[in-house]
Amino acid sequence: MFWHQNSLCCDFHVGVSLQLLARLEARRCLKDIEPQLFADDGGPDRGEVVEVYGPEGTGKTELLYHLLCRCVLPEAAGGLEVDVVFVDTDYSLDVFRLASVLDSRLSAVLRSCLSRLLVVRCSSSSELLLTLHFLETTLSSRPKAALLLIDSISAFYWSDRSEGGASVAKQEEKLSRCSELLGRLLRDYRITIFATCHPIRRTSSGPPSSSSEADRSHLCRAWQRLVTHRLVCSKQEAEHNPANGDQGSGEQRNRQVFTVHCSSWTGTKGSRVSSFRVTDGGVEFVWTHRPPPGLSVVL
């Protein structure tokens, strides 16, 4: 019995030590995750959050596919070779689409890339909260995990509002608790987070008074305090020639151009505007430039 108790005690201390090492081990910095999006050396550092904001159909999820591929691809292929956790609250992750993007970039190492990806699906804010609770165990066992993707952080906004009744505090309670857990993961494991966010749907009372009002964050303060960068997505009208009969085809999709306004307020503060197309091989950047002084995106 004495030996058995000592053995259990030893196993406990080993487990605690491994968890501590996983926290302290330096994870890959992702400031260079995509130079086309962020200003020079202005990408997200360890412990920072990027909100990818925009209406449905503006390329947000495709942008996450692009960033995911950048991370899981080996360094020899221009990737960062880090593990990624993808939390899918919208059930929008298309594994076949992701495999197609990876295959077009480096088919020989497709399985190796997918082995660096862990996908978790949530259908309610309660499930999301539980997922984040247990994510600490995942990060402890996967010290190479450097990126957490959430698509989307605003998926349960309206259901939470409905459950919360007239109390704003109750409406925001679950997302606030999720934000607190994310803050702890950022602090303890120094990961980087990208999370998409849908704009709030307007009522019949009329459109917002300005585009800046439409792009203003509507999520709880606890979430807003975490965000250090913001990517505001929009789309330009696609050129379409009916004579080609290519409506809905890959050719038409390739002509659709999306615009991303990036604002950062940590490190090298500044903003940048990028445009990209979505091709069979994923995101293809068209051009990038810095807006003139004084022009910024509303946070």
Side-chain angles (χ1 to χ4, degrees):
M1 177 65 71
F2 176 76
W3 176 87
H4 180 65
Q5 289 178 340
N6 281 347
S7 177
L8 290 176
C9 183
C10 181
D11 289 342
F12 172 77
H13 285 297
V14 169
V16 171
S17 298
L18 288 175
Q19 191 176 64
L20 180 60
L21 286 174
R23 288 188 178 189
L24 297 179
E25 183 171 344
R27 295 173 189 269
R28 173 72 154 81
C29 177
L30 300 181
K31 290 181 75 68
D32 57 345
I33 188 169
E34 182 45 74
Q36 296 278 8
L37 286 175
F38 299 95
D40 296 340
D41 198 33
D45 205 345
R46 299 182 186 93
E48 295 186 345
V49 177
V50 182
E51 182 181 77
V52 186
Y53 183 93
E56 185 176 352
T58 54
K60 299 187 302 300
T61 300
E62 285 288 344
L63 208 53
L64 292 192
Y65 286 159
H66 173 72
L67 297 168
L68 192 161
C69 291
R70 274 275 295 158
C71 284
V72 300
L73 282 170
E75 293 182 358
L80 305 180
E81 205 167 328
V82 298
D83 292 3
V84 176
V85 179
F86 192 113
V87 178
D88 185 15
T89 62
D90 273 345
Y91 284 71
S92 58
L93 178 64
D94 185 342
V95 176
F96 292 105
R97 170 63 181 156
L98 177 59
S100 173
V101 174
L102 279 171
D103 185 56
S104 68
R105 300 186 183 196
L106 197 59
S107 57
V109 293
L110 177 58
R111 288 189 179 182
S112 174
C113 293
L114 291 177
S115 70
R116 300 191 186 101
L117 172 64
L118 173 65
V119 178
V120 185
R121 286 195 161 97
C122 305
S123 58
S124 68
S125 53
S126 296
E127 287 188 8
L128 176 59
L129 193 58
L130 284 173
T131 296
L132 297 179
H133 266 296
F134 289 104
L135 200 54
E136 185 169 6
T137 303
T138 300
L139 294 176
S140 296
S141 62
R142 301 180 71 148
K144 291 187 69 176
L147 177 64
L148 170 63
L149 303 176
I150 304 176
D151 192 18
S152 73
I153 194 65
S154 59
F156 312 117
Y157 174 79
W158 288 111
S159 58
D160 286 347
R161 284 196 62 176
S162 176
E163 291 177 9
S167 170
V168 175
K170 289 184 178 180
Q171 292 172 11
E172 298 182 342
E173 180 181 7
K174 290 180 181 176
L175 183 56
S176 295
R177 290 172 63 189
C178 286
S179 300
E180 291 172 6
L181 286 173
L182 287 170
R184 191 168 73 191
L185 295 176
L186 290 166
R187 182 188 67 244
D188 292 346
Y189 294 95
R190 307 301 289 169
I191 58 175
T192 301
I193 297 175
F194 277 73
T196 63
C197 177
H198 301 299
I200 188 170
R201 292 180 181 176
R202 298 292 161 182
T203 61
S204 57
S205 58
S209 59
S210 66
S211 59
S212 62
E213 180 185 339
D215 292 338
R216 197 177 299 278
S217 183
H218 56 277
L219 298 183
C220 65
R221 292 287 183 183
W223 168 255
Q224 293 184 41
R225 283 194 294 267
L226 290 179
V227 176
T228 54
H229 304 70
R230 202 159 192 244
L231 305 177
V232 177
C233 301
S234 59
K235 65 179 177 180
Q236 303 173 17
E237 290 298 324
E239 297 177 5
H240 174 58
N241 184 358
N244 294 337
D246 59 358
Q247 185 172 3
S249 68
E251 284 187 31
Q252 184 188 17
R253 182 176 64 187
N254 290 353
R255 286 200 302 275
Q256 177 71 70
V257 177
F258 301 92
T259 302
V260 184
H261 293 256
C262 171
S263 290
S264 305
W265 49 100
T266 63
T268 307
K269 299 181 180 180
S271 57
R272 169 173 288 202
V273 181
S274 307
S275 285
F276 65 91
R277 296 189 186 96
V278 177
T279 69
D280 290 339
V283 167
E284 177 185 279
F285 285 95
V286 181
W287 53 261
T288 300
H289 76 274
R290 294 180 180 82
L295 180 62
S296 61
V297 180
V298 174
L299 307 179

